[in-house]
Amino acid sequence: MQSPDERAAIAAMGRELGPHVLHAVYARYRPEQERLAAVQPVTAADLPYGDHPRQTLDLYAPQGVQASAPVFVWVHGGGFLRGEKRAPDHPFNAHVGRWAARHGMLGAVMNYRLAPDATWPSGGEDVAAVVAWLRAHAAAYGGDAARIVLAGTSAGAVHVATALRLQPGIPVRAAVLLSGLYGFTSLDERDTLYYGAQAHDAERNPREAVVNTTLPLFVGCAEFDPSRFQAEALGLLAARLERHGRLPRAYIASGHNHFSLAYHLGGTDTRLGAEILGVVRDACGE
């Protein structure tokens, strides 16, 4: 559970997306995540899944002998413009791979091409390319290529959703979408660096794909997310209810903001982690 002190600290940061909030979240969770990093090193680093320098991934395998573990793919956020799977100056994004390994999964944490050099639909293409790479190579690291779960936060959730649009039959078991943009609200000017001048063209957002897919979805956002991201999550839930007559699995992370939603995963507040593990269990039979 989240402590009252942690909730108060996150609430005091407000609902903005500025770098000062990001660095405050980093400072809040860095000690906890660095302790966990010390006991779960990367298993295989900078594996290329494509020709571009950004098309690489890291793998985190469960300790001990594991065979046919579910594969959990993490797609980082960064507003389409930045982000990394692993960095020398902080433990984040890699922390999700470590969390997956601690729970008996093969964690795969990917980089992808960034705007403005790479534009829509490059992020979705990169997610699909990682799935293809894992289908061919996961077994060599103890992963079950037939049991892949995709997960992304913020821009990463957009790229996961876009992969579902580009490849409706993508061979994965489920998709976890945390605080993403799916086409239910207007985009910010900054987002046109990725989407281009046709940023509001329905052809360039994954709305219909995530509404129509028969894959199990998990839709999440945070209590202190900007209202735009909350509206996106609620819009997707409402559309899914109308289309399918039932809600997908969903979670609003009380006491968290847009950044802490992802960066606390694997720490002492286990509520979101437990929900995601439930998705993996239901989709992969774990």
Side-chain angles (χ1 to χ4, degrees), residues 50-103:
D51 296 330
H52 191 277
R54 288 279 307 179
Q55 291 176 315
T56 60
L57 75 157
D58 295 342
L59 296 178
Y60 298 82
Q63 294 184 358
V65 178
Q66 294 285 333
S68 300
V71 182
F72 190 83
V73 180
W74 180 248
V75 191
H76 66 74
F80 306 114
L81 305 175
R82 61 186 62 86
E84 65 286 306
K85 59 183 173 54
R86 177 172 41 89
D89 59 340
H90 67 72
F92 299 107
N93 292 318
H95 76 290
V96 181
R98 294 190 294 267
W99 168 82
R102 291 200 306 275
H103 289 280

